[in-house]
Amino acid sequence: MRFFSVEEASRLVPLLTKTFGRVRPWVERVQKLAEVLDGPEAPPDTAEVRTFREERDELLERIRGELGPLQEMGLEIKGADGLVDFHARRGEEPVYLCWRYGENAVAHWHDLKAGFSGRRPIDSPDDFEPTYLS
């Protein structure tokens, strides 16, 4: 597993911004299609419904294609609309550095179990150093 410093994670922000800028409209469209296809009043199986399913499946494949390389780099995609965690160490404690679409840098962290709601500002980037075994 790779551990990131704040500087390393922040260097990826332009790539993340560009990638999620492409992906976010696809995610929104998939969500709208899911409301139609999987809602309480799902339509009967018609040609139009099959077209919607094909569109949804194609968009999901595109999303996976865009986000897969980020995951291969060791990032954890927590939300396809632009929420990313980076493994890090704060002293001896494993934590996540946290970035959300629209932020200019990685400026928050949280415990492994806390999630987004437990985000805290990074007071000192030097508190988060990569391990050289990662």
Side-chain angles (χ1 to χ4, degrees):
M1 174 183 333
R2 178 174 182 186
F3 293 90
F4 291 83
S5 68
V6 175
E7 179 185 336
E8 289 172 325
S10 287
R11 280 197 305 252
L12 293 172
V13 168
L15 172 65
L16 295 173
T17 299
K18 183 177 177 182
T19 301
F20 284 104
R22 279 191 307 272
V23 167
R24 287 170 59 91
W26 302 338
V27 170
E28 289 175 19
R29 179 64 181 156
V30 166
Q31 289 169 338
K32 287 180 182 172
L33 289 167
E35 289 172 12
V36 171
L37 296 170
D38 304 325
E41 297 181 26
D45 190 23
T46 64
E48 181 181 35
V49 168
R50 286 189 293 276
T51 301
F52 286 164
R53 282 190 191 117
E54 288 173 13
E55 180 184 359
R56 178 198 58 198
D57 293 347
E58 288 173 14
L59 288 170
L60 288 171
E61 191 59 35
R62 266 200 221 161
I63 292 166
R64 281 190 284 273
E66 289 285 332
L67 300 183
L70 300 177
Q71 292 172 311
E72 291 172 10
M73 293 169 56
L75 284 63
E76 287 195 20
I77 309 300
K78 299 296 184 167
D81 59 344
L83 186 59
V84 177
D85 282 343
F86 303 80
H87 288 277
R89 287 200 178 277
R90 188 170 183 263
E92 294 297 314
E93 177 187 11
V95 297
Y96 285 124
L97 300 174
C98 186
W99 176 84
R100 179 174 55 178
Y101 183 77
E103 295 175 342
N104 294 324
V106 175
H108 296 87
W109 70 279
H110 60 80
D111 295 326
L112 296 181
K113 295 180 182 176
F116 183 82
S117 62
R119 283 183 10 144
R120 297 182 233 172
I122 294 172
D123 295 323
S124 174
D126 293 336
D127 291 344
F128 305 89
E129 290 298 322
T131 64
Y132 294 98
L133 299 176
S134 58

